[in-house]
Amino acid sequence: MNFAASLLGLGLLLAVLPTAASEAAADLGWMAGHWCSEADGERIDETWLPAVGGRLYGVSRTARGERVGSFEFLRIEPVDGVSTYLAQPGGGKATAFRRSEGGPNRVRFENLAHDFPQRIEYRREGERLHAEIAGPGREGKELRIAFEYRRCGE
């Protein structure tokens, strides 16, 4: 085998191997789906598309009846080789939260320089998706806000 053939073979092998970023996104595939939460007359819909090319895209909407109170564009993509959660409340400028830990069906993203939240977590248990945002609250005490989702239409 000559040198050119070796390079071609190596190039083909590298082209079919998944990148670390796409593997990181693929291990978050459990987040994909249309998730809903209803409480006190308020409905939250959060939808995540399946991972493609190392990226996940999502959107969240909070409504009371026919009135939309808030929405947020979401994405998880590699930034400097680390899966990063980018949140755009109201479609504004993105705030980045880097993946700090995770495991099967759970992930945590953090940005300790952000005011609130500083931590975003997701955990999947069967057909339920649990999300939590946390950070400094009043008088420096940690404030945690939990979201309990189920698949929409169930």
Side-chain angles (χ1 to χ4, degrees), residues 16-154:
V16 298
L17 289 175
T19 65
S22 64
E23 286 176 354
D27 80 353
L28 297 176
W30 50 266
M31 291 175 63
H34 184 183
W35 303 96
C36 294
S37 175
E38 292 187 50
D40 301 322
E42 190 171 75
R43 177 179 166 123
I44 302 173
D45 289 82
E46 187 163 314
T47 301
W48 286 96
L49 297 173
V52 172
R55 292 164 167 76
L56 284 88
Y57 296 96
V59 65
S60 177
R61 174 185 65 197
T62 302
R64 184 175 293 278
E66 292 296 313
R67 186 178 159 271
V68 174
S70 64
F71 72 94
E72 189 168 15
F73 296 126
L74 309 164
R75 64 187 193 270
I76 299 172
E77 59 187 37
V79 175
D80 298 327
V82 176
S83 287
T84 303
Y85 185 102
L86 295 137
Q88 294 179 258
K93 185 177 183 262
T95 300
F97 299 81
R98 292 173 60 89
R99 184 177 180 159
S100 59
E101 66 177 75
N105 296 332
R106 67 178 185 81
V107 65
R108 175 184 286 181
F109 300 93
E110 293 182 295
N111 178 342
L112 300 180
H114 191 250
D115 54 359
F116 186 89
Q118 292 183 342
R119 186 174 71 246
I120 300 169
E121 296 182 29
Y122 285 90
R123 184 178 74 253
R124 170 95 181 261
E125 293 177 358
E127 292 303 304
R128 302 279 182 182
L129 183 68
H130 307 276
E132 182 178 278
I133 59 174
R138 292 187 178 169
E139 300 174 13
K141 294 182 182 177
E142 183 175 67
L143 173 63
R144 292 179 179 207
I145 302 172
F147 303 90
E148 301 297 329
Y149 296 107
R150 59 172 168 59
R151 289 219 182 258
C152 294
E154 293 180 7

